[in-house]
Amino acid sequence: MRVPSGLIEGERTYGSAGLLGRIQTAQAASLLTTITPAVATATARPRAFHATFNKLMVSVLVLASVGTLASGTLASFNAQTVNPNNTFQDGTVLMSNVAGSVISGSNCATATNNGTCATLFGAGNAGNLKPSTTDISNTATITYLGSLTTADFRLWAANYTAKTASSTAQCTAPSSGAGNPGTAMDLMVTVGAASPKLLYPAQNTTTSAAIANGATVTTISVNATTAAIANGSEIILYNAGTNQQFTTSAAVALGATSIPVVSQTASAAFGIGTQVAPQGTLDGFASSYTSAANGLQLKGGVNGAGSLGVWAANDSSVFNINVHLDQAANNTFQGCQSQSDLVWYASS
């Protein structure tokens, strides 16, 4: 049979069924023609967004990569200085203490901040005192060896006992108060080897008229006194290591310009400006100077030529300690013994 012209091969094969398929295909094409633009538009938008997003991400990654390369490869200017090997060391407050004569113990000949040094007085030089005006003496040479300049330097008495248990039965003086053995132990402290200056007792006034050697002295002319002096008090004239003891014959008021004394011959010449001071005693010193807080202040420099309390490294002074049993001491003081430590104290 001959196939009609115009039919496709399927139509040739299937006849009417092929025609029907052609009609259906045409209808489907018509529908696709109507629907496709809307579907295409809806599909195109996400693709465009993703494309734009991808381009932006690529740009960011490129910029980040460029920034990383820039920070890692670009050079910079810089400078650096160093203070090396810094150390921090504390200062020291040290001294040596050397006795002129060692009675017992041993000298603190090397620097120490807590030394028990030689004894200055004992059986070897002051074991059998008697009423007198003659001094028994010893020296303590104090040398400051610390690295810190001191703000204070003092001498004071510790462990003072006016009447010790070693006193004999003949000692009938009271253990304390007026008339105790320490009140009869005259004490003087000076500084310097050649022309020592008086440190204790403290000066009251100075002479306003010279006294010749060998002169009979009944009145001492002085500049105004700085404290009243009782009748019968003992005073000393002191000038560059030379001293003499006198006894007042009447009370002396504050501001007085003359001191009446029991008649006595001058044992040396005393010029104008000679120091006049009350007689010092061991009891008076130990009662007045009891601790580092109220000790006798000492000048620095060489032999006290510097400032009060200020001692620098290698400052050194020779301190002269002079004692005697007072010439007016009576039998109540026989066999009595007094004892005290001397403490040299420095602080920065």
Side-chain angles (χ1 to χ4, degrees), residues 321-344:
I321 317 297
N322 307 308
V323 296
H324 65 259
L325 182 60
D326 193 84
Q327 62 183 345
N330 56 35
N331 282 337
T332 62
F333 296 104
Q334 283 195 50
C336 294
Q337 184 187 81
S338 300
Q339 184 172 314
S340 181
D341 299 341
L342 294 177
V343 182
W344 311 85

Side-chain angles (χ1 to χ4, degrees), residues 231-270:
N231 181 26
S233 297
E234 293 179 348
I235 61 172
I236 61 171
L237 298 183
Y238 182 87
N239 184 30
T242 301
N243 70 90
Q244 185 172 352
Q245 182 176 298
F246 292 84
T247 303
T248 59
S249 58
V252 179
L254 169 66
T257 57
S258 66
I259 300 174
V261 295
V262 174
S263 180
Q264 192 170 328
T265 300
S267 60
F270 295 98

Side-chain angles (χ1 to χ4, degrees), residues 165-184:
S166 296
S167 297
T168 69
Q170 287 72 39
C171 177
T172 57
S175 296
S176 61
N180 73 68
T183 63

Side-chain angles (χ1 to χ4, degrees), residues 185-308:
M185 190 61 58
D186 293 339
L187 172 69
M188 182 167 61
V189 181
T190 63
V191 60
S195 298
K197 296 179 285 291
L198 182 65
L199 296 178
Y200 176 83
Q203 172 184 318
N204 181 308
T205 185
T206 57
T207 58
S208 59
I211 299 173
N213 184 16
T216 299
V217 180
T218 57
T219 301
I220 301 172
S221 298
V222 297
N223 295 303
T225 58
T226 57
I229 304 172
N231 181 26
S233 297
E234 293 179 348
I235 61 172
I236 61 171
L237 298 183
Y238 182 87
N239 184 30
T242 301
N243 70 90
Q244 185 172 352
Q245 182 176 298
F246 292 84
T247 303
T248 59
S249 58
V252 179
L254 169 66
T257 57
S258 66
I259 300 174
V261 295
V262 174
S263 180
Q264 192 170 328
T265 300
S267 60
F270 295 98
I272 295 174
T274 293
Q275 291 176 288
V276 181
Q279 175 66 64
T281 66
L282 176 61
D283 190 77
F285 184 89
S287 299
S288 298
Y289 306 116
T290 60
S291 70
N294 67 352
L296 178 65
Q297 276 197 305
L298 305 174
K299 292 182 178 181
V302 178
N303 288 321
S307 299
L308 200 63

Side-chain angles (χ1 to χ4, degrees), residues 151-173:
D152 202 7
F153 208 114
R154 295 178 184 256
L155 170 63
W156 54 284
N159 303 314
Y160 170 62
T161 305
K163 180 180 177 179
T164 73
S166 296
S167 297
T168 69
Q170 287 72 39
C171 177
T172 57

